[in-house]
Amino acid sequence: MPEVSKMKRPDVKIVLLGDMNVGKTSLLHRYMERKFKETVSTVGGAFFLKQWGPYNISIWDTAGREQFHGLGSMYCRGAAAVILTYEVTNWQSLAELEERFLSLTDTANHDCIYALVGNKADLTDSKAQLCQDSDGLVKDQTECNQECEVLSGCPTPPASPTSLPGVMLRKQVIKEDAVALYGRILRYKGLEEKSSLPAEKMCFETSAKTGYNVDTLFETLFDLVLPSILRKRQENQESPTVDLEECRMVGSKKGRSGCC
Ligand SMILES: Nc1nc2c(ncn2[C@@H]2O[C@H](COP(=O)(O)OP(=O)(O)OP(=O)(O)O)[C@@H](O)[C@H]2O)c(=O)[nH]1
Ligand SMILES: [Mg+2]
């Protein structure tokens, strides 16, 4: 049994929610492992632990499939940030966020931060077909595909309308739709728009496939949850108790990642 004192204890929790197939797991792989790789539909949930400077952030991936819906509010318990994910080529995936997922966030922290993320932007926007390295420099898709083959062994995707640069799918969800939903989320939470984080900052379009905006998404959130981290550390100093549930999760997977 691992010693509690040596475990990395998460300072804060970020949760990814959204319909099946929108790319939640792929976004996490892209950010944590710098790769776009094959996924299987998530069962239950899984977490990754990210060291961010001196802080430990747990990022929870959840299953979008309806059969696991009941677990969502459990994963959101105590979350400092929730990433509500949809797919830019699928209007219904945005609607589902409001109809099915928003109420799951009732268990999150009272000052929880919400980000709306439209993934698979590479399918609709030529600029998102360019991939970014960790310094934010863009490379073209051919270079990315070659790199993908060399680094992770994943084959260059077959030439199909979705993989040919310049051939785009119809964008079903435009940024304004996400901005409008963000406003409704604030109203649902009883928050004033004036005193909340602005929609322009909290609505992202990403591509897990190319890496477009993925670092920006996670790192913006890490910066924004810093006050929650500092508050939690302060509370822990004042009453040093151990969150057995979190320790059990982290300890069971050697502090890196796991699922349940
Ligand atoms: N073109 C493109 N495809 C993507 C992107 N992100 C994910 N995909 C593909 O979309 C499919 C679903 O991706 P996942 O990451 O498994 O989706 P998920 O949201 O985790 O799904 P559940 O675990 O079932 O909730 C896979 O075939 C991915 O390869 C993206 O940014 N662009
Ligand atoms: Mg998944």
Side-chain angles (χ1 to χ4, degrees), residues 202-233:
M202 301 315 293
C203 295
F204 299 82
E205 289 185 347
T206 58
S207 168
K209 183 172 178 178
T210 66
Y212 175 73
N213 261 348
V214 175
D215 287 356
T216 308
L217 162 68
F218 284 103
E219 290 167 10
T220 300
L221 285 180
F222 296 164
D223 284 343
L224 290 172
V225 297
L226 198 61
S228 293
I229 294 178
L230 298 175
R231 197 190 57 229
K232 194 171 171 197
R233 284 204 167 184

Side-chain angles (χ1 to χ4, degrees), residues 73-86:
S73 53
M74 184 186 86
Y75 289 120
C76 285
R77 188 169 67 89
V82 173
I83 301 174
L84 292 159
T85 317
Y86 64 93

